[in-house]
């Protein structure tokens, strides 16, 4: 008899999952039907978690607004507000540190800069690098490609402000988890297609890549409680304004729909074996390799979606972060 997805989860990760479900209720946060309420609860929990963070010793943190002009974003982006960004700079990093554009998760419909505060601090400190975290607009109020254009505008601002920020514009990377991973992949594609800033590296982590939801894993992960099939279908519907899976989907917002993956920056990509995104990520990695893009890929056994977030003390969560940081250092510090 084939084990259920839950039965395949690493026991230490499973303890973290159960603690999360005890706080959120059955089905996880994505099962809260009202999106406004879902965002409110996530914001409250994020604020509570942030209150336990140690002081940002060794980092200077500042908030900025990245301007949006036709010269700094995609040609069809239209007008929009400046993009909020938060900059994390290691003290003593020197005048030419690597720069990492970080996109938060949340299924394109939730999340914020504050949500990724702990990750941004850790990445900045561990690499070390200047991290620019992006407060992109959310669907359904701002459907695709608003989020992609916001993140690309932030990348253009990072490159243009490199000297002021103490960043080496030749050592830029994009980084994100889940929806943020999908945005990292989309920004890498947009930078290539528009002749934008040259990226040294991309790190889409268990990325949200494909609106079609046709893979085996997209049908398999239905009741784990973290980003199950119903949540993913809902998120793509909201992000693509009801055009999920059809020919009117905004291709720039769906990396898996890109026809050509050649000449993209080297990538590090990972996903768990008990993650809904498992098979679409494997397919994307295979296409990158086939297009000649150097890829380091990790398929983590017994790991569900965002397990390192919900079970941070699990031994495999420590291993996951160690491998990621090693890859970032190898790509950006050598």
């Amino acid at each position: 008899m084939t084990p259920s997805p839950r039965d395949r989860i690493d026991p230490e990760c499973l303890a973290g999952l159960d603690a999360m479900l005890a706080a959120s209720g059955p089905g996880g946060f994505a099962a809260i039907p009202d999106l406004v309420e879902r965002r409110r609860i996530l914001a409250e929990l994020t604020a509570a978690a942030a209150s336990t963070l140690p002081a940002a010793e060794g980092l200077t943190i500042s908030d900025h607004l990245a301007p949006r002009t036709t010269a700094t974003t995609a040609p069809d982006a239209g007008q929009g507000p400046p993009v909020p960004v938060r900059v994390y700079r290691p003290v003593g990093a020197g005048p030419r540190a690597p720069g990492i554009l970080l996109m938060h998760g949340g299924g394109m419909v939730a999340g914020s800069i504050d949500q990724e505060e702990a990750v941004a601090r850790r990445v900045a400190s561990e690499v070390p690098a200047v991290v620019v975290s992006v407060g992109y607009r959310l669907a359904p109020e701002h459907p695709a490609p608003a989020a992609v254009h916001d993140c690309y505008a932030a990348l253009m601002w990072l490159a243009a402000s490199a000297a002021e920020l103490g960043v080496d514009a030749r050592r830029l990377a994009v980084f994100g988890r889940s929806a943020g991973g999908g945005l990292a992949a989309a920004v890498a594609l947009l930078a290539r297609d528009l002749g934008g800033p040259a990226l040294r590296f991309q790190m889409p982590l268990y990325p949200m890549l494909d609106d079609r939801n046709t893979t085996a894993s997209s049908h398999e992960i239905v009741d784990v409680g973290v980003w199950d099939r119903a949540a993913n279908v809902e998120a793509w519907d909201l992000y693509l304004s009801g055009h999920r899976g059809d020919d009117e989907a905004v291709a720039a917002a769906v990396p898996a729909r890109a026809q050509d993956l050649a000449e993209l920056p080297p990538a590090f990509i990972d996903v768990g074996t008990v993650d809904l995104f498992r098979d679409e990520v494997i397919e994307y990695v295979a296409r990158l390799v086939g297009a000649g893009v150097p890829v380091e890929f990790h398929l983590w056994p017994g790991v569900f979606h965002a397990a390192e977030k919900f079970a941070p003390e699990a031994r495999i969560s420590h291993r996951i972060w160690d491998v990621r940081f090693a890859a970032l250092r190898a790509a950006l510090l050598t």
Side-chain angles (χ1 to χ4, degrees), residues 3-331:
S4 71
R6 182 180 170 87
D7 291 338
R8 302 201 306 270
I9 295 174
D10 176 279
E12 293 181 356
C13 292
L14 186 61
L17 172 63
D18 287 342
M20 184 278 289
L21 293 175
S24 67
F29 297 108
I32 298 170
D34 182 74
L35 182 57
V36 173
E37 179 68 4
R38 191 186 313 168
R39 289 172 177 168
R40 185 190 67 79
I41 293 172
L42 284 169
E44 285 184 357
L45 291 171
T46 298
S51 68
T52 68
L53 290 174
E57 296 179 2
L59 295 173
T60 59
I61 301 175
S62 56
D63 290 318
H64 306 261
L65 291 173
R68 183 195 310 279
T69 69
T70 54
T72 59
T73 189
D76 60 345
Q79 298 300 310
V83 181
V85 295
R86 183 169 296 166
V87 177
Y88 304 79
R89 192 176 201 286
V91 174
R96 300 182 69 80
I100 299 175
L101 190 75
L102 183 149
M103 280 71 72
H104 65 76
M108 309 295 185
V109 299
S112 66
I113 288 175
D114 290 339
Q115 174 181 299
E116 291 292 77
E117 177 82 12
V119 171
R121 289 190 193 185
R122 190 172 180 193
V123 171
S125 298
E126 293 276 357
V127 174
V130 174
V131 170
V132 176
S133 186
V134 187
Y136 58 86
R137 290 171 292 172
L138 301 175
E141 298 89 341
H142 303 283
V148 179
H149 288 163
D150 288 356
C151 294
Y152 186 69
L155 175 65
M156 293 292 286
W157 176 83
L158 168 57
S161 305
E164 176 187 347
L165 297 172
V167 166
D168 183 351
R170 299 169 301 175
R171 293 190 291 162
L172 300 179
V174 289
F175 173 104
R177 301 188 294 171
S178 193
L183 287 167
V187 169
L189 284 160
L190 203 55
R192 179 201 64 181
D193 294 344
L194 297 179
L199 293 172
R200 172 80 67 92
F201 198 55
Q202 57 172 318
M203 187 172 272
L205 304 173
Y206 44 90
M208 182 177 176
L209 297 169
D210 196 338
D211 63 306
R212 291 164 290 195
N213 290 277
T214 56
T215 65
S217 61
S218 74
H219 288 278
E220 172 189 319
I221 307 300
V222 296
D223 59 2
V224 167
V226 178
W227 211 248
D228 297 323
R229 180 177 178 83
N232 198 51
V233 168
E234 176 201 46
W236 277 113
D237 273 333
L238 295 174
Y239 186 47
L240 298 179
S241 299
H243 294 298
R244 174 184 58 83
D246 66 30
D247 292 338
E248 294 184 54
V250 182
V254 188
R257 288 179 177 262
Q259 296 298 308
D260 179 13
L261 299 183
E263 299 183 8
L264 287 169
F268 176 104
I269 303 176
D270 68 8
V271 71
T273 57
V274 197
D275 191 321
L276 176 145
F277 293 148
R278 181 194 66 215
D279 294 342
E280 66 190 63
V281 169
I282 291 172
E283 290 177 7
Y284 194 73
V285 167
R287 291 184 59 211
L288 285 170
V289 173
V293 178
V295 181
E296 179 177 348
F297 174 60
H298 291 264
L299 181 63
W300 299 110
V303 168
F304 61 87
H305 190 79
E308 85 286 10
K309 176 179 180 180
F310 296 110
E313 297 307 317
R315 282 171 289 183
I316 197 165
S317 296
H318 287 285
R319 184 180 170 205
I320 286 169
W321 278 116
D322 287 345
V323 170
R324 290 171 181 170
F325 289 134
L328 284 168
R329 294 184 195 111

